[in-house]
Amino acid sequence: MTELHHGSNVQGLQTTATFDRDTDEFVINTPNEGATKWWIGNAAVHGKFATVFARLILPSSSSGNADMGVHAFIVPLRSMQTHAPLPGVEIRDCGYKVGLNGVDNGALRFHNVRIPRDNLLNKFGDVSREGVYSSPLPTPNKRFAATLGELVGGRVGLAAGSVGVLKAAATIAIRYSLLRQQFGPPNKPETVILDYQSQQGRLIPMLASSYAFHFATEYLVDRYVEMKRTRDDEVIADVHALSAGLKSYVTAYTAKSLSICREACGGHGYAAVNRFGSLRNDHDIFQTFEGDNTVLLQQVAADLLKQFKKKFEGGALTVTWKYLRDSMGTYLSQTNPVVTHRDGEGHLRDPNFQLDAFRYRTARLLQTAALRLRKLTKQHGSFEAWNYCLNHLLTLAESHIETVILEKFIEAVHRCEDKTGKSHLKLLCDLYALDRIWNDIGTYRNQDYVAPNKAKAIHRLVEQLCHEVRLVATELVDAFKIPDYILRAPIGLKSKQYSEYSQIIGF
Ligand SMILES: Cc1cc2nc3c(=O)[nH]c(=O)nc-3n(C[C@H](O)[C@H](O)[C@H](O)COP(=O)(O)OP(=O)(O)OC[C@H]3O[C@@H](n4cnc5c(N)ncnc54)[C@H](O)[C@@H]3O)c2cc1C
């Protein structure tokens, strides 16, 4: 798909596939340097075929050529016998990357390469032998959305993969922090570094987030499977927004966490063998490929605004957004001054308070974004108006995704039948919720949703919960069940970390 000049803006792709009625073929062409296909996975060394996204051009006698928009075509790249590039196909290697060098990414140029008409992937648009275009979808925009919609699977995979990386990093950092001792009270054993409040503040909310993301991505995978099974329009819309949002939110969180884990392990975190460097380099691009995070979050915001409009038009909201119906009411009514001052642990650990806080924030951001956009669009047009509100819209999308994650976590706690497991999950879920509220306490204070005494109580409780989770941290990382041969980092192993580490450097 990607070209030298265009990645995110797929509608800007310039490669052409022109139908030749005489020979019943498409002619694939790279019209200029900017249209060179770039970053194509496996193209540089191994690929035999490519799925090429190109503008479908139909020659028409009356009005010149008709551009039917971006479609996908199967194009052979190399000979099946000799593996040499086929005539008209130029291939280069994109070169060494920051990470993921196990996959070769290539650049491709096509010089009037002919392929049979059959090689058009024609689910959303087809060309007959006579050169007549047909599509089951009514508009070019719908066709384009459906074509790109097929990329959802990659995002689901990246979100789930990123949670795997986060679990691995958290496991290495927490196990090491339970082993490592530095300083301590006079005449007493040295302190385990995970007992330092600062170390807990870095790693324990991360552990809670790993669990939170686990349940949210599990839900996403289930919805994705349902989408594949039912092809139901409502589920498709839901999975699109959810996969875009979770992919962005989780990969951004994991990318930051990898650096935090590296620092949390001090000098030994910097040893290549302990893997933070390679995990960071390999994972970093998760934020960009299969859709740049900032671009994807805008799709979530756009979907929220669509749902918001629907709500006022009396339409039904898709499953993941249903909460907006109720929370919009809460937001529009005044916040209750008694509730804004309540600061007891029971109240703060009540999932209803936590969910209300998350939903209130999203509803407020949504309502104000819609008003701002309406006003600014009249003055500046929709593109400029969107850009004026962009940071607001990104915050809205993140707030919504955090809300979905919390909902799924609360459901998971509720489902858990094992008594100890349930209490540990509840602890983690409360920490996830309150840590996020604390991170955004300025917003809650500005809206008087939380009074000063309540804000202080939330902060105190976050520190207390970090301490409580620390006491069961070994069990909680062991529960990820990452085998040592997968984890590999000597400082992250279950036992004999120092001796394994020494052996690796030759002792
Ligand atoms: C290792 C690797 C493997 C890849 N594999 C493939 C592959 O197999 N096939 C394939 O087709 N592609 C592949 N890609 C390409 C990848 O999908 C694109 O790089 C990605 O979609 C981002 O597009 P871009 O590079 O054009 O970034 P750009 O869109 O140019 O983004 C650059 C910056 O601009 C910002 N930006 C862009 N648009 C907006 C906007 N509207 N609002 C706000 N900010 C914006 C982005 O947030 C980003 O920070 C691969 C890339 C890499 C690095």
Side-chain angles (χ1 to χ4, degrees), residues 176-384:
Y176 178 70
S177 299
L178 285 161
L179 166 80
R180 186 75 167 176
Q181 297 176 328
Q182 295 288 325
F183 307 101
N187 308 319
K188 294 256 170 71
E190 280 191 292
T191 299
V192 167
I193 58 173
L194 197 55
D195 282 333
Y196 288 112
Q197 202 178 43
S198 51
Q199 193 80 349
Q200 289 177 10
R202 283 160 153 176
L203 297 179
I204 301 295
M206 190 190 296
L207 182 58
S209 295
S210 311
Y211 273 83
F213 299 170
H214 170 92
F215 294 117
T217 47
E218 209 172 46
Y219 169 71
L220 172 64
V221 171
D222 287 348
R223 289 291 277 167
Y224 177 66
V225 172
E226 191 185 341
M227 179 191 98
K228 284 283 181 195
R229 189 170 45 81
T230 61
R231 286 271 142 211
D232 179 88
D233 279 348
E234 196 183 281
V235 186
I236 292 174
D238 203 24
V239 171
H240 279 195
L242 196 58
S243 61
L246 275 176
K247 182 270 189 192
S248 308
Y249 188 84
V250 170
T251 59
Y253 185 92
T254 299
K256 286 190 199 87
S257 300
L258 286 165
S259 287
I260 294 172
C261 287
R262 204 297 292 153
E263 281 178 53
C265 294
H268 296 319
Y270 198 63
V273 73
N274 287 320
R275 302 209 41 224
F276 292 123
S278 57
L279 285 174
R280 194 165 55 186
N281 287 349
D282 287 347
H283 175 276
D284 193 67
I285 194 64
F286 281 34
Q287 300 177 92
T288 301
F289 62 19
E290 300 288 341
D292 171 85
N293 282 359
T294 307
V295 174
L296 291 183
L297 283 175
Q298 291 178 61
Q299 292 179 14
V300 178
D303 202 52
L304 276 162
L305 287 158
K306 202 166 98 192
Q307 302 282 335
F308 180 74
K309 200 164 156 240
K310 253 194 194 174
K311 177 193 137 61
F312 284 106
E313 286 164 359
L317 301 182
T318 53
V319 181
T320 310
W321 318 94
K322 269 195 183 127
Y323 76 89
L324 285 173
R325 192 175 25 225
D326 312 321
S327 38
M328 199 56 75
T330 323
Y331 162 60
L332 294 173
S333 66
Q334 283 295 317
T335 44
N336 179 337
V338 178
V339 179
T340 59
H341 283 82
R342 280 183 73 186
D343 61 3
E345 185 173 332
H347 167 67
L348 299 179
R349 296 189 66 174
D350 179 349
N352 290 322
F353 157 68
Q354 296 162 1
L355 269 178
D356 272 352
F358 278 51
R359 289 169 171 176
Y360 165 88
R361 183 182 54 173
T362 311
R364 192 189 135 266
L365 284 163
L366 179 55
Q367 162 95 353
T368 47
L371 290 175
R372 284 184 69 202
L373 279 171
R374 195 180 310 158
K375 189 170 150 215
L376 288 165
T377 302
K378 281 186 198 139
Q379 294 165 2
H380 305 283
S382 57
F383 187 88
E384 291 297 337

Side-chain angles (χ1 to χ4, degrees), residues 171-172 175-176 179 274 483-485 487-497 500-501 504:
T171 302
I172 297 168
R175 284 201 183 137
Y176 178 70
L179 166 80
N274 287 320
D484 281 353
Y485 68 88
L487 204 60
R488 299 203 304 278
I491 61 166
L493 300 179
K494 267 180 114 169
S495 60
K496 299 193 196 142
Q497 287 112 307
E500 289 281 339
Y501 189 25
I504 281 173

